[in-house]
Amino acid sequence: MDSLDTVTFDLADTGGVRALNAELHRPTSKSYAVANPAGAHAIAAGIDADLAVEVHGHAGYYCAGMNDGGTVTVHGNAGTGVAENMMSGTVRVTGDASQSAGATAHGGLLVIEGSASMRCGISMKGVDIVVGGSVGSMSAFMAQAGRMVVCGDAGDGLGDSIYEARLYVRGCVGALGADCVEKEMRDEHRAELAELLADAGLDHDPAEFRRYGSARSLYHFTSEHSGTY
């Protein structure tokens, strides 16, 4: 796999997503371009090599799902579950993303230059998610590990039942979810945030953000907290 030539797949006439993903699972190049995606589902799913994939148009559900090492860029919008269960690598959406972006993802970096719908980062397990716009309700629900940066606003239920993920929000939060609280923004957090913003190609001032995380009162069921569950 030494070829540096970009292989172009036109999903309108080259066997569709099945043929594309078969090639990406046994790659003959390190660079791919996808033309006419037309909202097809599961584009570039299951990559497990150091590949660059440029999707020129809108993608449907589960684009770049299970990515492990690839760099996938969607030049458009992405449907439900973009980069779900990602292990490593980078996924970038230049437009907006639908619900459950980065769901259950264990690692890597997901950048959404626009906004993301509800449940962004649900059950995230180590991924870094940077959203240039806003996120919808119940984002970072049951987030276990990793970092989420929201440069716009966050909807109601942010961080509901959160574990040890760290959330940074520049704008307004509709309402915090159960056991999610605002936390002190220390120098170490500002440095961490600055690095995440730089990796995403954004130049916001970390001083403009607030940090949120777990109050750690729901880790174990207790009768004293029964009214909170």
Side-chain angles (χ1 to χ4, degrees):
M1 194 178 64
D2 297 326
S3 175
L4 297 178
D5 295 334
T6 297
V7 175
T8 298
F9 264 76
D10 187 336
L11 295 190
D13 61 11
T14 55
V17 174
R18 185 180 294 274
L20 168 66
N21 287 344
E23 167 67 22
L24 296 179
H25 297 163
R26 295 179 180 274
T28 57
S29 178
K30 299 196 72 172
S31 177
Y32 291 86
V34 180
N36 295 310
H41 303 320
I43 293 172
I47 293 174
D48 63 354
D50 180 15
L51 307 178
V53 180
E54 303 276 337
V55 181
H56 296 281
H58 304 313
Y61 294 0
Y62 304 117
C63 178
M66 300 177 288
N67 184 52
D68 192 4
T71 298
V72 180
T73 303
V74 179
H75 297 279
N77 302 325
T80 296
V82 62
E84 59 88 25
N85 205 38
M86 177 165 63
M87 305 301 289
S88 67
T90 300
V91 176
R92 179 181 292 270
V93 179
T94 66
D96 299 323
S98 188
Q99 62 184 350
S100 303
T104 73
H106 290 248
L109 172 66
L110 169 61
V111 179
I112 299 165
E113 295 183 6
S115 293
S117 187
M118 63 191 305
R119 292 189 288 273
C120 179
I122 181 173
S123 195
M124 52 191 278
K125 295 176 172 65
V127 67
D128 290 327
I129 300 175
V130 181
V131 180
S134 299
V135 297
S137 59
M138 299 301 289
S139 289
F141 171 58
M142 291 188 70
Q144 295 162 43
R147 290 89 57 92
M148 178 185 288
V149 178
V150 180
C151 299
D153 302 327
D156 290 341
L158 177 71
D160 192 276
S161 303
I162 191 172
Y163 289 79
E164 291 302 311
R166 296 191 291 280
L167 314 179
Y168 299 97
V169 182
R170 182 168 174 255
C172 299
V173 176
L176 294 175
D179 210 38
C180 186
V181 296
E182 184 173 354
K183 295 197 168 189
E184 179 187 2
M185 193 77 162
R186 299 191 295 269
D187 287 344
E188 64 197 81
H189 304 119
R190 283 185 281 271
E192 172 180 81
L193 177 55
E195 183 176 353
L196 288 167
L197 289 168
D199 288 344
L202 299 171
D203 59 0
H204 297 299
D205 183 353
E208 298 174 347
F209 289 76
R210 291 175 292 170
R211 182 172 74 99
Y212 301 89
S214 176
R216 300 187 177 96
S217 62
L218 297 184
Y219 277 23
H220 305 285
F221 179 86
T222 62
S223 59
E224 290 84 356
H225 295 137
S226 59
T228 308
Y229 300 120

